[in-house]
Amino acid sequence: MTEALTIRLDDRDNVAVARVDILPGTEIGGGVKAAHHIPAGHKIALSAIADGAAVRKYDQIIGFAEGAIRPGDHVHTHNCVFAMFDRDYAVGQDVKPVDYVPEAERATFDGYRRANGRAATRNYIGILTSVNCSATVARYVAEQFRHPDMLAEYPNIDGVVALTHGTGCGMASTGEGMRMLSRTFAGYARHPNFAGLLFIGLGCEAAQLGMMMDVEGLKPGPLLHMFTIQDSGGTTATVRKGVELVKEMLPHANAFRREPIPASELILGLECGGSDAYSGISANPALGAAADLLVRHGGTACLGETPEIYGAEHLLTRRAVSPEVADKLIARIRWWEDYVAKNDGSMDNNPSPGNKEGGLTTILEKSLGAAAKGGTTNLADVYAYGERIASKGFVFMDTPGYDPVSVTGFVAGGANVVCFTTGRGSVFGCKPVPSIKLATNSAMYGRMSDDMDVNCGLVIDGEKSVAEMGEEIFRKILATASGEPTCSERLGFGDDEFLPWQIGAVM
Amino acid sequence: MTEALTIRLDDRDNVAVARVDILPGTEIGGGVKAAHHIPAGHKIALSAIADGAAVRKYDQIIGFAEGAIRPGDHVHTHNCVFAMFDRDYAVGQDVKPVDYVPEAERATFDGYRRANGRAATRNYIGILTSVNCSATVARYVAEQFRHPDMLAEYPNIDGVVALTHGTGCGMASTGEGMRMLSRTFAGYARHPNFAGLLFIGLGCEAAQLGMMMDVEGLKPGPLLHMFTIQDSGGTTATVRKGVELVKEMLPHANAFRREPIPASELILGLECGGSDAYSGISANPALGAAADLLVRHGGTACLGETPEIYGAEHLLTRRAVSPEVADKLIARIRWWEDYVAKNDGSMDNNPSPGNKEGGLTTILEKSLGAAAKGGTTNLADVYAYGERIASKGFVFMDTPGYDPVSVTGFVAGGANVVCFTTGRGSVFGCKPVPSIKLATNSAMYGRMSDDMDVNCGLVIDGEKSVAEMGEEIFRKILATASGEPTCSERLGFGDDEFLPWQIGAVM
Ligand SMILES: [Ca+2]
Ligand SMILES: [Ca+2]
Ligand SMILES: [Ca+2]
Ligand SMILES: [Ca+2]
Ligand SMILES: [Ca+2]
């Protein structure tokens, strides 16, 4: 009887998704009656689709009708098939002018302006390590500033955080793995959310700090110190040295004040983790709507998780602003095929039996659900893992789907806010950057309310449209960037979630 | 003039190593005079070696004379060459009866006897994670017990430790990588140094706790609990649950008392890290002497770091007690060649220019320096990474050279004490097992005295023989196993050094 039984993700779609189990004969609006039982999360035809015609969801082709489909029919693997049109990259075919918000109406947030002009959303002092061997020492330095008394005189500082990791030695000291690691370190070292930084090594590791600083063009100074345990005389002396250096940086870091900064200086990382059947119809498209808004306000939104858009890369090449940008994406796809093959794995993510049960018919539909986070605007550029994100608009970074590794890449690239959609329930945080958690369904939101910032399950419940949800997320992004703590920040997450992508043999 | 200028590593050696720079004409003892300048760490001939005859160090062939070598000659790449005899695995050729210490004279240590009969050297409660996503929650549970008041009533408990890691998802859910991870988790879950254990997951990760427990034959019970954040209702509820479960385990854990246990129940992990030119002539052979003593007392010593014995594997096959044991070792060597090749790396560790400057002439000599930690007794068995070490005597486990990953394998295999030799200076610890750090030289020992347990530099300084040093290390092992804290335990290391070997693509 009511529209609330289904969700049509775009006005041009010829299928809608059932929010709940729909019984045969039920009218779903517009005079369409369910011809069969349509399970929750599955698709129903809104109009007649001729044999061989395109089935559209997310305003995208997800497959082609096999036999005539009537209004009200269940649309799934029995009458909708994948065809090879996907091999046509059709570069730039879907590029359209960005509908920018007039300058005078553009949003701002209250952030920190750093000396080099970059905009920060948080104000931390960071302690990084070159190798696992210096992790404990780095943590000990940070722990000296955990007690509230230690930072009582410095109310503008969000904290002193040690971001440690398990690699940096037992690996080739040259080559792709080391370049990626070095780029990731440098991206964090330069991140505007750090007012000051220590870089602590052991001394004999493969990831030599001096070499990394040289290669990445980082210069030591009063707010960037680099030293090793072996040079400093062991654990106790190194911790003492680190604590003294942090103390010297505190007054400087505390001197920063929030000021209005255009939303165009936000770089939003788009992540999903612990996805479920609702991810692609509630939180992901809602986040896509928010990403579109941010782009219309002149900002940047970065999609990633290459294995999760695999098979639908041609839908991004169609949005690519130039053949060079499309080629960069295609090159990363080819790299992944090689990477996974030589590790005896497979990129073959054709919908699994579980996916199909949930209503996903083709690999396109599956990847579209993940890519929905990226909205609908033009693909402005493609970045390597951890590479500095320099362009405005919608961009792509080559990251794995694994949440902490993917987000570490975004943050290394300069993301200053992250949105994370989750269906099963993730508890992710990523200091020094706030991570806003978007629940795909109300049941999980209720069960894990401490951990969830926004309930996109309202889209499934029929209480909000995707566009309304997108606006709410956009407002949440601005508030968060202005200092409102996210759930994961209130809970203290982010010290254990720095996880650089590690490729190559551990030796 | 004096013997103290050189070190002869075995009575049957025909070369000795210069402890210091030796000037031409200097008498080094036994009527031998240096014919040339012999740099510190380089070799000098103790007797005539005919053209083509074997050059012996560590009672092993390290190469063959090219041209006649006279007593006092500098022996290096100009007159000592590597020949292909190494391809002869000569399985079992060097096997000899173990010179066991009579039962009545065998050493004991004061350890904990667990209900299943296994011997512990420490008494921890552990919190493990299946995936990085539960790392913060695990740490929060452990941190509730950091304040001394929390364990005041439980003086026999060494602590509550959270061992977290960066993997467990974004990986193939079946195959070699997952098997290795599952085996490592299970090895820790069963480790006798844990009186009780929590295993915390997120819920939707690839490394499913239930499946791992099934595959590894672990049964939940009052001292082994397993739960997920998603099932428990988020961060706050999961931390509360974890804290309650630890509290329930405390009285049980505290009830254990140290009692005399035969040294034959010690399983010693042998590791080197941050090696220098002295490693192969002081700390490594001294540790080898201690390993031999432990084996003579009926115990187990486990060598690893496959990439560092590469090229000298035939010296271990000669000590193998059976063709099956030799074949296991050779299979691991072949696996490594494939692993490194498909990751675009190389196993080729022929002495580097830096190694040669330090006096290492052939790949055999280099690998022998690392293998010297394993002493001279028969190779009783070979284990996969993290596999339960079940045999007595000298054994080998296939681990990478990277210290935290290698030692994690030993501990998963059941090692209850670790000795770690270091030249450049490592600050490694590995809860729940004590790690004894052995300095290869006195200068570093002096600089990093807080971190070093034993100064094997005394061998270089001419103050102790390798055999004497080995006896000192053996006594240190017994004292440590009996509860004497190591330097890294006093400093609190070990929470950040659990690092399971991760192979395969991060997806
Ligand atoms: Ca995802
Ligand atoms: Ca993800
Ligand atoms: Ca080593
Ligand atoms: Ca090592
Ligand atoms: Ca950690």
Side-chain angles (χ1 to χ4, degrees), chain A residues 278-288 373 421-422 438-440 456-457 459 473:
Chain A
Y278 298 112
S279 300
I281 54 180
S282 62
N284 288 2
L287 178 54
K373 303 189 295 294
T421 69
T422 180
L438 312 176
T440 71
C456 297
V459 171
I473 295 168

Side-chain angles (χ1 to χ4, degrees), chain A residues 131-137 139-140 143 146 164-170 176 202-204 208 229-230 233-237 273-274 307 336 338-340 342-344 346-347 400-405 422 424-427 447-451 491-499 501-507, chain B residues 131-137 139-140 143 146 164-170 176 202-204 208 229-230 233-237 273-274 307 336 338-340 342-344 346-347 400-405 422 424-427 447-451 491-499 501-507:
Chain A
V131 64
N132 194 74
C133 309
S134 52
T136 296
V137 163
R139 185 166 54 80
Y140 284 178
E143 282 178 356
R146 273 179 75 168
T164 65
H165 60 86
T167 181
C169 204
E176 192 174 16
L202 174 60
C204 55
Q208 286 288 302
I229 297 170
Q230 287 168 356
T235 301
T236 312
W336 269 91
D338 177 57
Y339 171 60
V340 170
K342 74 189 180 193
N343 282 288
D344 305 324
S346 159
M347 292 290 285
Y402 187 32
D403 310 332
V405 177
T422 180
R424 306 283 298 277
S426 159
V427 296
R447 271 199 313 277
M448 294 179 65
S449 54
D450 282 2
D451 297 283
L491 289 166
F493 280 87
D495 298 79
D496 290 309
E497 287 78 7
F498 171 64
L499 201 58
W501 192 5
Q502 192 180 332
I503 58 173
V506 176
M507 292 193 292
Chain B
V131 65
N132 194 74
C133 309
S134 52
T136 296
V137 163
R139 184 166 54 80
Y140 284 178
E143 282 178 357
R146 273 179 79 167
T164 67
H165 60 86
T167 183
C169 204
E176 191 172 18
L202 173 60
C204 55
Q208 286 288 303
I229 297 170
Q230 287 168 356
T235 301
T236 312
W336 268 90
D338 177 56
Y339 171 60
V340 170
K342 73 187 178 194
N343 282 287
D344 305 323
S346 159
M347 292 292 284
Y402 186 32
D403 309 333
V405 176
T422 180
R424 304 284 298 277
S426 160
V427 296
R447 270 199 313 279
M448 295 179 63
S449 54
D450 281 3
D451 297 283
L491 289 167
F493 280 87
D495 298 78
D496 291 308
E497 288 77 8
F498 171 64
L499 200 58
W501 192 5
Q502 194 180 332
I503 59 172
V506 176
M507 292 194 292

Side-chain angles (χ1 to χ4, degrees), chain A residues 335-401:
Chain A
W335 180 93
W336 269 91
E337 287 168 343
D338 177 57
Y339 171 60
V340 170
K342 74 189 180 193
N343 282 288
D344 305 324
S346 159
M347 292 290 285
D348 186 10
N349 270 323
N350 283 307
S352 66
N355 289 152
K356 287 185 184 170
E357 255 181 69
L360 294 176
T361 303
T362 65
I363 186 170
L364 290 186
E365 185 180 10
K366 183 181 173 179
S367 290
L368 277 167
K373 303 189 295 294
T376 60
T377 62
N378 305 331
L379 177 65
D381 211 346
V382 171
Y383 295 96
Y385 182 82
E387 192 182 357
R388 170 88 178 266
I389 299 167
S391 36
K392 301 290 188 184
F394 169 63
V395 300
F396 186 87
M397 179 181 283
D398 179 28
T399 70

Side-chain angles (χ1 to χ4, degrees), chain A residues 201-476:
Chain A
L202 174 60
C204 55
E205 59 272 24
Q208 286 288 302
L209 277 180
M211 200 155 66
M212 187 272 293
M213 303 271 286
D214 280 354
V215 167
E216 304 292 343
L218 291 166
K219 303 234 180 315
L223 296 170
L224 176 56
H225 299 274
M226 178 194 99
F227 51 97
T228 70
I229 297 170
Q230 287 168 356
D231 282 348
S232 307
T235 301
T236 312
T238 310
V239 172
R240 198 184 306 126
K241 179 175 181 170
V243 169
E244 287 311 310
L245 288 169
V246 170
K247 282 182 181 169
E248 285 173 19
M249 295 192 290
L250 290 173
H252 171 89
N254 192 59
F256 285 95
R257 293 291 181 279
R258 288 191 183 268
E259 57 185 276
I261 292 181
S264 62
E265 300 194 38
L266 289 177
I267 302 175
L268 172 65
L270 304 163
E271 181 70 22
C272 61
S275 299
D276 68 359
Y278 298 112
S279 300
I281 54 180
S282 62
N284 288 2
L287 178 54
D292 282 353
L293 276 173
L294 181 59
V295 170
R296 292 183 53 218
H297 281 267
T300 305
C302 185
L303 185 70
E305 307 185 281
T306 315
E308 303 193 5
I309 59 107
Y310 186 77
E313 64 273 17
H314 62 287
L315 295 171
L316 291 172
T317 57
R318 285 164 187 238
R319 291 161 61 185
V321 295
S322 72
E324 292 69 30
V325 166
D327 286 348
K328 281 195 210 177
L329 182 69
I330 296 163
R332 298 319 302 164
I333 295 281
R334 297 292 160 262
W335 180 93
W336 269 91
E337 287 168 343
D338 177 57
Y339 171 60
V340 170
K342 74 189 180 193
N343 282 288
D344 305 324
S346 159
M347 292 290 285
D348 186 10
N349 270 323
N350 283 307
S352 66
N355 289 152
K356 287 185 184 170
E357 255 181 69
L360 294 176
T361 303
T362 65
I363 186 170
L364 290 186
E365 185 180 10
K366 183 181 173 179
S367 290
L368 277 167
K373 303 189 295 294
T376 60
T377 62
N378 305 331
L379 177 65
D381 211 346
V382 171
Y383 295 96
Y385 182 82
E387 192 182 357
R388 170 88 178 266
I389 299 167
S391 36
K392 301 290 188 184
F394 169 63
V395 300
F396 186 87
M397 179 181 283
D398 179 28
T399 70
Y402 187 32
D403 310 332
V405 177
S406 178
V407 175
T408 293
F410 294 150
V411 173
N416 48 19
V417 61
V418 167
C419 280
F420 189 119
T421 69
T422 180
R424 306 283 298 277
S426 159
V427 296
F428 182 81
C430 51
K431 288 178 187 170
V433 172
S435 168
I436 301 167
K437 278 207 295 317
L438 312 176
T440 71
N441 66 88
S442 297
M444 187 276 286
Y445 180 81
R447 271 199 313 277
M448 294 179 65
S449 54
D450 282 2
D451 297 283
M452 294 299 131
D453 294 283
V454 178
N455 180 19
C456 297
L458 297 179
V459 171
I460 310 289
D461 303 341
E463 293 182 24
K464 285 210 174 171
S465 69
V466 164
E468 287 166 341
M469 207 72 239
E471 277 170 28
E472 181 178 332
I473 295 168
F474 182 63
R475 285 192 302 273
K476 188 76 176 178

Side-chain angles (χ1 to χ4, degrees), chain B residues 435-496:
Chain B
S435 169
I436 301 167
K437 274 197 305 316
L438 312 176
T440 71
N441 67 89
S442 297
M444 188 276 288
Y445 179 81
R447 270 199 313 279
M448 295 179 63
S449 54
D450 281 3
D451 297 283
M452 295 298 131
D453 294 284
V454 177
N455 179 20
C456 297
L458 297 178
V459 171
I460 310 288
D461 304 340
E463 293 182 24
K464 285 210 174 169
S465 69
V466 164
E468 286 165 343
M469 206 72 239
E471 277 170 27
E472 181 178 333
I473 295 167
F474 182 62
R475 286 192 301 273
K476 188 77 176 176
I477 291 168
L478 295 175
T480 300
S482 301
E484 184 185 283
T486 63
C487 288
S488 67
E489 289 182 304
R490 273 197 297 267
L491 289 167
F493 280 87
D495 298 78
D496 291 308

Side-chain angles (χ1 to χ4, degrees), chain B residues 82 86-87 306-315 333 363-364 367:
Chain B
F82 176 67
D86 67 328
R87 298 300 95 186
T306 315
E308 303 193 3
I309 61 104
Y310 186 77
E313 66 270 17
H314 62 286
L315 296 170
I333 295 281
I363 187 171
L364 291 185
S367 290

